[in-house]
Amino acid sequence: MNQEKKIPDCPVEMTLQLIGDKWKVLIIRDLLTGTKRFSELMRSVSGITQKVLTSHLRNMEADGLLTRKVYPEVPPKVEYTLTETGYSLKPILDSMVTWGTNYKNRLD
Amino acid sequence: MNQEKKIPDCPVEMTLQLIGDKWKVLIIRDLLTGTKRFSELMRSVSGITQKVLTSHLRNMEADGLLTRKVYPEVPPKVEYTLTETGYSLKPILDSMVTWGTNYKNRLD
DNA sequence: CGGTATCCGCTAAGATACTG
DNA sequence: CAGTATCTTAGCGGATACCG
């Protein structure tokens, strides 16, 4: 369902199609600091449910933003890591941090 | 309904709360080039409906991202302009454009 | 022209239970 | 631990009609 989307002309729409979702941005924020396990993401992306986290991670994997590595052991262990493409989103996140900080200060 | 949101600690969440919506990003993109009338936005933000555009514009006005100016004439004329705060989102949009362009090129 | 006012379908997302 | 599998619900957004 994620791979059937048409490619938009507008670069902004292109970007939105991949990370236009609130949860995705938060997932990327948390993966920018390094590889994380599923349970770690559940904790750091506060408020998300298992189902939603799973589905977003799958979509992002299909879009080439992150990789999923399963360790065949008991108990299971799955790690998620940003690809180069995913990591290249950092500037966007950085500007969001900068802006958010300024906006917040302006509220005080 | 937009003014009752709690202020998040995380700057990224702060930003997402204000422009975490796909439509809002597109509205800002189109207003970055200057003041626009309602009907112009309807055209440039392709795919949006009147109701949704109206409600987003109202929310963004309440958040201080843009101003709404009504000209008391017939036929009515309403103009929307980014505030300084709204305009300060430009770096975020710019990085989205850059990223989207690169990603698209990578698809070819 | 620039909106409201309804009605309503759809799907993202929540809750809960179960499993390899 | 890291998921499926169901079922359920909220509310976003579409369609349409009407108004100042």
Side-chain angles (χ1 to χ4, degrees):
Chain A
M1 57 181 49
N2 209 33
Q3 33 278 350
E4 288 303 337
K5 288 188 248 177
K6 64 175 192 307
I7 299 172
D9 296 331
C10 169
V12 172
E13 288 174 25
M14 178 82 255
T15 306
L16 285 173
Q17 209 164 75
L18 292 171
I19 57 156
D21 189 284
K22 169 195 164 192
W23 292 125
K24 289 188 182 176
V25 176
L26 295 176
I27 292 168
I28 288 162
R29 176 199 61 185
D30 292 334
L31 286 181
L32 278 174
T33 57
T35 296
K36 288 210 165 38
R37 301 182 59 172
F38 187 86
S39 51
E40 291 180 290
L41 286 173
M42 273 293 288
R43 258 173 280 119
S44 59
V45 184
S46 87
I48 200 169
T49 59
Q50 274 193 335
K51 193 184 78 170
V52 175
L53 178 55
T54 301
S55 105
H56 278 97
L57 287 171
R58 291 291 199 281
N59 283 158
M60 294 166 75
E61 190 190 5
D63 287 335
L65 296 182
L66 51 81
T67 57
R68 177 171 182 266
K69 181 162 188 187
V70 183
Y71 293 85
E73 56 187 49
V74 180
K77 175 173 157 184
V78 180
E79 285 183 347
Y80 293 91
T81 311
L82 288 181
T83 58
E84 267 198 41
T85 302
Y87 193 79
S88 71
L89 286 162
K90 192 173 187 309
I92 301 182
L93 272 286
D94 284 344
S95 37
M96 290 180 70
V97 168
T98 304
W99 191 87
T101 305
N102 288 336
Y103 186 89
K104 223 181 124 183
N105 288 339
R106 222 170 298 148
L107 293 181
D108 303 332
Chain B
M1 52 182 58
N2 210 30
Q3 32 281 347
E4 287 303 338
K5 290 187 249 176
K6 64 174 189 312
I7 300 171
D9 296 331
C10 170
V12 173
E13 288 175 25
M14 179 82 253
T15 306
L16 284 173
Q17 212 163 72
L18 293 171
I19 56 157
D21 189 284
K22 168 196 164 192
W23 293 125
K24 289 187 182 178
V25 177
L26 295 176
I27 292 169
I28 288 163
R29 177 199 60 183
D30 292 334
L31 286 180
L32 278 174
T33 57
T35 296
K36 287 209 164 41
R37 300 182 61 172
F38 186 85
S39 49
E40 291 181 291
L41 286 173
M42 272 295 285
R43 258 173 282 120
S44 59
V45 184
S46 87
I48 199 168
T49 60
Q50 274 194 337
K51 191 183 80 172
V52 175
L53 177 56
T54 302
S55 105
H56 279 98
L57 286 170
R58 291 290 198 282
N59 284 157
M60 293 166 75
E61 189 189 6
D63 287 335
L65 296 182
L66 52 80
T67 56
R68 178 172 183 265
K69 179 160 190 190
V70 183
Y71 293 84
E73 56 188 46
V74 180
K77 175 173 156 185
V78 182
E79 285 182 346
Y80 294 92
T81 311
L82 289 181
T83 59
E84 268 198 39
T85 302
Y87 193 79
S88 70
L89 286 162
K90 191 172 188 310
I92 300 181
L93 273 286
D94 284 344
S95 36
M96 289 180 70
V97 169
T98 304
W99 191 88
T101 305
N102 289 335
Y103 185 89
K104 223 181 124 184
N105 288 339
R106 221 170 298 148
L107 292 182
D108 304 331

